Amino acid sequence: MKPWLALNQLRLDHELILINVLEGEQRSAPFLNVNPLGVVPWLVTEEGRGIGESNAMLWYLAEGSHLMPATRADRAEALQWMFFEQTRLEPFISPARFFTTILPQGREARSGDIATWQDRARPGLARLDRHLTDREFVLRSGYSIADIALFGYVHVAAEAGIDCADYPQIARWVDRVSLTPAFQPLEALGQVAAYPA
Ligand SMILES: N[C@@H](CCC(=O)N[C@@H](CS)C(=O)NCC(=O)O)C(=O)O
């Protein structure tokens, strides 16, 4: 969702190709030809260069735009929160959500792991909630790729079985992000053509 949201908000022409990881398409020959690492998301630039890691894609796409913080210190703080997302939130919300919502048939067998992932996500969510107490967006300078990076998994934390009533500032921030210009909800991501066979 993250690079796709940035592409939309920057109004950049792009082609989105969906890969069905539940069907193992990320390991299919056509996809491995494009990305030998076999993971999504993957961005191919106009020059044909491949870029992995959603936050690296955000950085690449936002260069010189309103989504890239203007000062050196703000860019460093954006990176700080983007690393925070990858180390304190994504590794826990992602698998908890996967086995709770995406593949619920695995829920019972993984209930111990799910509880552990939920417990590990909570301090990160609480930290973000405190941070958002006195600001509209992650950076005081305004909406940026730091918000997009965090929004991806944080706004679906409930789908990981985490009670979001504990994070009222996050709830308000999610609403604010959803109202930014050219915002596209996650559900709209499914409205495009599937990866050609
Ligand atoms: N840290 C990476 C996470 C990439 C990732 O975990 N992708 C998952 C799906 S969201 C994947 O491709 N899984 C398939 C696999 O590992 O076979 C990012 O933010 O881009």
Side-chain angles (χ1 to χ4, degrees), residues 2 21 26-27 38-41 52-55 57 85-86 90 94 153:
K2 292 154 56 176
V21 293
Q26 74 278 21
R27 288 186 293 275
V39 288
V40 292
E53 289 297 330
S54 55
N55 288 348
M57 296 172 209
E85 183 263 344
Q86 286 287 300
E90 189 257 12
S94 170
Y153 273 110

Coordinates of all heavy atoms in Angstrom, one line a residue, residues 2 21 26-27 38-41 52-55 57 85-86 90 94 153, ligand 1:
K2 N 2.0 1.2 0.7 CA 2.7 2.5 1.0 C 3.3 3.1 -0.3 O 2.9 4.3 -0.5 CB 3.8 2.2 2.0 CG 3.3 1.8 3.4 CD 4.2 0.9 4.2 CE 5.6 1.5 4.4 NZ 6.4 0.7 5.3
V21 N 0.5 -13.4 -3.0 CA 1.5 -14.2 -2.2 C 0.9 -15.4 -1.6 O 1.6 -16.4 -1.3 CB 2.2 -13.3 -1.1 CG1 3.1 -12.2 -1.7 CG2 1.2 -12.7 -0.2
Q26 N 4.9 -14.8 -5.9 CA 6.2 -14.1 -5.7 C 7.4 -15.0 -6.0 O 8.5 -14.5 -6.2 CB 6.3 -13.5 -4.3 CG 6.6 -14.5 -3.2 CD 5.3 -15.2 -2.7 OE1 4.3 -15.3 -3.4 NE2 5.4 -15.8 -1.5
R27 N 7.1 -16.3 -6.1 CA 8.2 -17.2 -6.4 C 8.0 -17.8 -7.8 O 8.7 -18.7 -8.2 CB 8.2 -18.4 -5.4 CG 8.8 -17.9 -4.0 CD 9.0 -19.1 -3.1 NE 7.7 -19.7 -2.7 CZ 6.9 -19.2 -1.7 NH1 7.3 -18.2 -1.0 NH2 5.8 -19.8 -1.5
G38 N 12.2 -12.2 -4.7 CA 10.9 -12.9 -4.6 C 10.0 -12.4 -3.4 O 9.3 -13.1 -2.8
V39 N 10.1 -11.1 -3.2 CA 9.2 -10.5 -2.2 C 8.5 -9.2 -2.8 O 9.0 -8.6 -3.8 CB 9.9 -10.0 -0.9 CG1 10.3 -11.2 -0.1 CG2 11.1 -9.1 -1.2
V40 N 7.4 -8.9 -2.3 CA 6.7 -7.7 -2.6 C 6.7 -6.7 -1.4 O 6.8 -7.2 -0.3 CB 5.2 -8.0 -3.1 CG1 5.2 -8.7 -4.4 CG2 4.5 -8.7 -2.0
P41 N 6.6 -5.5 -1.6 CA 6.5 -4.8 -2.9 C 7.8 -4.6 -3.6 O 8.9 -4.8 -3.0 CB 5.9 -3.4 -2.5 CG 6.5 -3.2 -1.1 CD 6.5 -4.5 -0.5
G52 N 13.8 -2.4 -3.8 CA 13.0 -3.2 -2.8 C 12.9 -2.4 -1.5 O 13.5 -1.3 -1.3
E53 N 12.1 -2.9 -0.6 CA 11.8 -2.2 0.7 C 10.9 -1.0 0.5 O 11.3 0.0 0.0 CB 13.0 -1.8 1.5 CG 13.8 -3.0 2.1 CD 13.0 -3.8 3.1 OE1 12.2 -3.3 3.8 OE2 13.2 -5.1 3.2
S54 N 9.7 -1.1 1.1 CA 8.7 -0.1 0.9 C 9.2 1.3 1.3 O 8.9 2.3 0.6 CB 7.4 -0.4 1.7 OG 7.7 -0.7 3.1
N55 N 10.0 1.4 2.4 CA 10.4 2.7 2.8 C 11.5 3.3 1.9 O 11.5 4.5 1.7 CB 10.9 2.7 4.3 CG 9.7 2.5 5.2 OD1 8.6 2.6 4.8 ND2 10.0 2.2 6.5
M57 N 11.4 2.8 -1.3 CA 10.6 3.2 -2.4 C 10.0 4.6 -2.1 O 10.0 5.5 -3.0 CB 9.5 2.2 -2.7 CG 10.0 0.9 -3.1 SD 8.6 -0.3 -3.2 CE 9.6 -1.8 -2.9
E85 N 9.2 2.1 12.3 CA 8.1 1.3 11.7 C 8.6 -0.1 11.4 O 7.9 -1.1 11.6 CB 7.6 2.0 10.5 CG 6.4 1.4 9.8 CD 6.8 0.5 8.6 OE1 7.9 0.6 8.1 OE2 5.9 -0.4 8.2
Q86 N 9.8 -0.2 10.8 CA 10.3 -1.5 10.3 C 10.8 -2.4 11.5 O 10.8 -3.6 11.3 CB 11.4 -1.3 9.3 CG 11.0 -0.8 8.0 CD 10.3 -1.9 7.2 OE1 10.8 -2.9 6.9 NE2 9.0 -1.6 6.8
E90 N 6.1 -3.1 12.1 CA 5.9 -4.0 11.0 C 6.2 -5.5 11.3 O 5.3 -6.4 11.0 CB 6.7 -3.6 9.8 CG 6.3 -4.3 8.5 CD 7.4 -5.3 8.1 OE1 8.2 -5.6 8.9 OE2 7.3 -5.8 7.0
S94 N 2.4 -7.2 11.2 CA 2.2 -7.9 9.9 C 1.9 -9.4 10.1 O 0.9 -9.9 9.6 CB 3.5 -7.7 9.1 OG 3.5 -8.6 8.0
Y153 N 0.8 -0.2 8.2 CA 0.4 -1.3 9.1 C -0.4 -0.7 10.3 O -1.3 -1.4 10.9 CB 1.6 -2.1 9.6 CG 1.8 -3.2 8.6 CD1 2.9 -3.2 7.8 CD2 0.9 -4.3 8.5 CE1 3.1 -4.3 6.9 CE2 1.1 -5.3 7.6 CZ 2.2 -5.3 6.8 OH 2.4 -6.3 5.9
Ligands
LIG1 N1 10.2 -4.8 5.0 C1 9.6 -5.1 3.7 C2 8.6 -6.3 3.9 C3 8.4 -7.1 2.7 C4 7.6 -8.3 2.9 O1 7.6 -8.9 4.1 N2 6.8 -8.7 2.0 C5 5.9 -9.9 2.1 C6 4.5 -9.5 1.9 S1 4.0 -8.1 2.7 C7 6.3 -10.9 1.1 O2 6.6 -10.6 0.0 N3 6.1 -12.2 1.5 C8 6.3 -13.3 0.6 C9 7.5 -14.2 0.9 O3 8.3 -13.8 1.8 O4 7.5 -15.2 0.3 C10 8.9 -3.9 3.1 O5 8.5 -3.0 3.9 O6 8.8 -3.8 1.9

